[in-house]
Amino acid sequence: MESESSYKTRKVISIGTVSELTGLSERQIRYYEERKLIFPERSERGSRKYSFSDVETLIDIANKREEGVRTEEIRSELKRKKTKDDQASRSKMIQGQLNAQFGIRKK
Amino acid sequence: MESESSYKTRKVISIGTVSELTGLSERQIRYYEERKLIFPERSERGSRKYSFSDVETLIDIANKREEGVRTEEIRSELKRKKTKDDQASRSKMIQGQLNAQFGIRKK
DNA sequence: CGTGTAAGGAATTCTGACACG
DNA sequence: CGTGTAAGGAATTCTGACACG
């Protein structure tokens, strides 16, 4: 089963554009990576590439930071969220496999 | 009613990444713009920005070109497709407005 | 801790042009 | 017509560091 790699999660946006999209400085964006809040990929030449999903996460981070929340705390909140999302995703995938094996019953 | 500006149509990808994604040279990508096959936006500093939708169009163009279709011909085909898409989009929008005014009946 | 900045280098992007055909 | 390439300049991105605190 092919993983989606959708428009939302495909990492293709460079840091300058992410900066425009989020209002954050490039320094801030790189720092949040250092603190493990986001995980850009690297292009062949080594420049950071972000997804729309990363941009949304960064906007969340910016809001939390404005409230004075420390990066370490934001990190653990994000981890919780990621775990949930992963569970939802796994659940959907299993459901897909069941449908494939036994056919779709639900109308 | 706010226009979508979704992940698919938001122009945020720079030409180097588009080149990787499509297998086309930057020269080719700029030339197809010159011939009015694609319409990137420009960032504040003047660099071209493409959407995932543009990337898909470019892949279509690459396939047509391999078959030997001239850019002029591809241009008119794309225009036809765009007209259809616009009509579908308008139709959906009107449906949305109707639903908003009279409520959604269809189950 | 979180962010700004100057520093130097490497890679990117841009335009207009010449080339081939 | 469609694409390659060399050219020169401007803007981008990277890393490691110093600064403030």
Side-chain angles (χ1 to χ4, degrees):
Chain A
M1 191 177 281
E2 191 78 76
S3 218
E4 257 292 293
S5 192
S6 68
Y7 304 128
K8 184 171 182 178
T9 59
R10 198 80 185 274
K11 291 175 193 268
V12 295
I13 313 176
S14 51
I15 194 164
T17 303
V18 172
S19 176
E20 288 179 20
L21 256 31
T22 60
L24 293 166
S25 70
E26 300 184 6
R27 179 68 167 95
Q28 289 174 308
I29 297 168
R30 293 196 189 99
Y31 181 69
Y32 299 150
E33 174 182 2
E34 191 183 320
R35 302 311 309 276
K36 313 283 187 194
L37 306 190
I38 40 169
F39 306 91
E41 289 178 359
R42 295 293 178 124
S43 74
E44 298 170 6
R45 306 83 162 202
S47 62
R48 273 166 266 251
K49 293 297 172 191
Y50 302 84
S51 65
F52 281 110
S53 183
D54 291 331
V55 169
E56 290 175 3
T57 300
L58 283 166
I59 290 171
D60 289 347
I61 293 169
N63 291 145
K64 293 287 182 185
R65 283 294 303 132
E66 273 184 27
E67 296 169 21
V69 183
R70 279 162 294 116
T71 57
E72 167 54 29
E73 190 158 352
I74 299 175
R75 195 185 59 72
S76 50
E77 288 174 17
L78 288 175
K79 200 168 56 181
R80 265 197 300 282
K81 185 175 184 322
K82 196 189 168 305
T83 304
K84 271 202 203 160
D85 289 352
D86 285 354
Q87 281 169 357
S89 171
R90 179 162 48 252
S91 168
K92 255 191 159 167
M93 198 158 27
I94 290 169
Q95 190 57 48
Q97 285 164 193
L98 288 173
N99 286 341
Q101 279 192 261
F102 303 112
I104 298 168
R105 297 264 154 57
K106 214 164 27 178
K107 190 49 182 294
Chain B
M1 189 176 285
E2 191 74 80
S3 218
E4 258 292 293
S5 193
S6 65
Y7 305 127
K8 184 171 181 177
T9 59
R10 197 80 185 275
K11 291 177 192 264
V12 296
I13 314 175
S14 51
I15 195 164
T17 303
V18 172
S19 176
E20 286 179 20
L21 255 30
T22 61
L24 293 166
S25 70
E26 300 184 8
R27 180 68 168 97
Q28 289 174 308
I29 297 169
R30 294 196 188 99
Y31 181 68
Y32 299 150
E33 174 182 4
E34 191 184 319
R35 303 312 309 276
K36 312 284 186 196
L37 306 191
I38 40 169
F39 306 91
E41 290 178 359
R42 293 294 178 125
S43 75
E44 298 170 6
R45 306 84 162 200
S47 62
R48 274 167 266 249
K49 293 297 172 193
Y50 302 83
S51 65
F52 281 111
S53 183
D54 291 331
V55 169
E56 290 176 3
T57 300
L58 282 166
I59 290 171
D60 289 346
I61 293 170
N63 291 145
K64 293 286 182 186
R65 284 293 304 132
E66 273 185 28
E67 296 169 21
V69 184
R70 278 162 295 115
T71 57
E72 168 54 30
E73 190 157 354
I74 298 174
R75 196 185 58 73
S76 50
E77 288 174 18
L78 288 176
K79 200 168 56 182
R80 266 196 299 282
K81 183 174 185 322
K82 195 189 167 306
T83 304
K84 271 201 202 161
D85 289 351
D86 285 354
Q87 282 171 357
S89 171
R90 181 162 44 254
S91 169
K92 253 190 162 169
M93 197 155 31
I94 290 169
Q95 190 57 49
Q97 287 163 193
L98 289 173
N99 287 340
Q101 279 193 261
F102 304 112
I104 298 169
R105 298 263 155 55
K106 220 165 21 179
K107 193 45 189 294

